[in-house]
Every structure is written in structure tokens, then in C-alpha cells.
Amino acid sequence: MDIILKELIFIKIIKTTINMSGGAFDYKQHDIRMIADEIEQTIERSGRPKTREELKDEGWRDPEWYKKYPEDLNHYKYPDDVIEEFKKGVEILRKAHVYAQRIDYLISGDDGKESFHKRLKEDLDKLAK
């Protein structure tokens, strides 16, 4: 009986710990961060020549293709005004990720009201640097 009681307590502790470690939004806030990362990669690639690895990944295109379409040796070049909007979008998405993460921790019980405000400010300050 004592062993069963200990096991039940252990299971309850594990369940409580799992439920309290974030996850109020099913960790979708990380998707927001990944979108921001992908947009930054698009900005970095804009107009630059593709690497050998990138060209290799386009294996369906043979050398004749690139003779006919030499522009495909480079990544698409977005206009400067579009790149500026991409950068604004990345900044907004990074802030959205921070807010979603901090709110998730508050809702899940990992943070209290005071630590929520403190950590939110710290995370936003890190972004500003």
C-alpha cells in the first residue's frame, strides 16, 4: 500500500511539472520565431549567388537550364523597399514571440505577475540591442 501511494504521488508530481512547464499555446510561439528566422534568411540571400550546395539541391536543372536562365544562378533579388518591410516584419515577429512566450509562462504558472513583468522587460531589452 505504501509503494502504491508513493507511485501515485510521483505520477501526480510528474503530471503537475509537465503541465506547469509552459505549453499553454502548444509551444506555437516557437513557430513565430522560426518564421522570423526564415524571413531573415530570405533577406540575407536576396540577390546573392547560389552556393554549389544550393545548386545541387536544384538537381532537376541541368547546365543547359542555367545557360538559358542565368538569373537562376542567383537568389531572387527583392527590391530595397520590400527588404525594409521584411526587416520591420522580423522585428514585429520577434516581439510577438517574446510576448507569446512570457504570456505562456504566466498562464502555465511558471511565472507570477511580478516575474512576468520583469522577464518581459528583460527579453524585450535583449531584442533592442
Side-chain angles (χ1 to χ4, degrees):
M1 181 82 164
D2 193 37
I3 293 173
I4 294 172
L5 183 59
K6 285 181 182 179
E7 286 182 22
L8 288 173
I9 292 170
F10 178 74
I11 290 169
K12 183 170 174 92
I13 289 169
I14 294 297
K15 284 185 176 181
T16 303
T17 303
I18 290 170
N19 290 338
M20 290 186 60
S21 61
F25 305 132
D26 293 325
Y27 305 101
K28 290 180 181 135
Q29 64 269 29
H30 301 298
D31 292 342
I32 297 170
R33 186 185 64 215
M34 288 173 37
I35 292 168
D37 291 345
E38 288 180 30
I39 295 170
E40 281 185 332
Q41 290 173 4
T42 300
I43 293 168
E44 291 170 11
R45 287 191 302 257
S46 180
R48 80 159 169 77
K50 293 178 182 174
T51 65
R52 286 182 187 218
E53 189 64 33
E54 289 168 333
L55 292 171
K56 183 180 169 188
D57 289 343
E58 297 177 349
W60 62 273
R61 293 181 177 169
D62 62 17
E64 293 302 312
W65 175 271
Y66 294 110
K67 286 180 185 172
K68 190 173 179 182
Y69 304 102
E71 66 276 9
D72 285 347
L73 288 167
N74 297 320
H75 289 278
Y76 180 77
K77 174 142 178 54
Y78 291 93
D80 291 343
D81 61 326
V82 171
I83 293 292
E84 289 307 309
E85 293 302 322
F86 282 3
K87 289 177 181 177
K88 290 177 189 176
V90 167
E91 183 179 340
I92 291 166
L93 288 165
R94 297 252 180 250
K95 285 181 182 177
H97 170 256
V98 166
Y99 273 94
Q101 182 73 13
R102 297 283 34 118
I103 292 168
D104 178 281
Y105 275 44
L106 179 64
I107 291 171
S108 298
D110 292 335
D111 280 346
K113 186 178 105 173
E114 294 79 23
S115 60
F116 164 76
H117 287 291
K118 178 180 179 264
R119 290 180 177 165
L120 178 62
K121 182 181 179 336
E122 289 172 355
D123 290 350
L124 290 173
D125 288 348
K126 286 179 192 173
L127 283 181
K129 291 180 183 179

